[in-house]
Amino acid sequence: MTVITDFSANQMYKDSDLNEVSAVLPNGNAEFYFGQIYDWSKIFVEKRIIDPEKYFELFE
């Protein structure tokens, strides 16, 4: 699945079938998870984080 965030327009563009994504999520609420993706992507851009995996390893 591809998600493109446009912070200037405050929108996200999703390239996938949301039903398929919702089926594999623990609570089935795809919009909640897309909100999380938007929020985290904004943090990554603002903090210039190019390797999110390494960023999360700092908190382990």
Side-chain angles (χ1 to χ4, degrees), residues 8-51:
S8 62
N10 196 32
Q11 293 183 345
M12 283 187 10
Y13 305 95
K14 305 160 202 121
D15 182 20
S16 182
D17 181 5
L18 295 179
N19 292 329
E20 290 178 20
V21 173
S22 295
V24 297
L25 297 174
N27 67 5
N29 185 347
E31 291 306 316
F32 169 79
Y33 287 99
F34 288 122
Q36 294 292 311
I37 291 168
Y38 182 88
D39 293 342
W40 277 110
S41 62
K42 191 168 187 175
I43 289 169
F44 296 150
V45 169
E46 289 173 350
K47 295 186 177 207
R48 298 181 181 182
I49 297 168
I50 57 173
D51 189 342

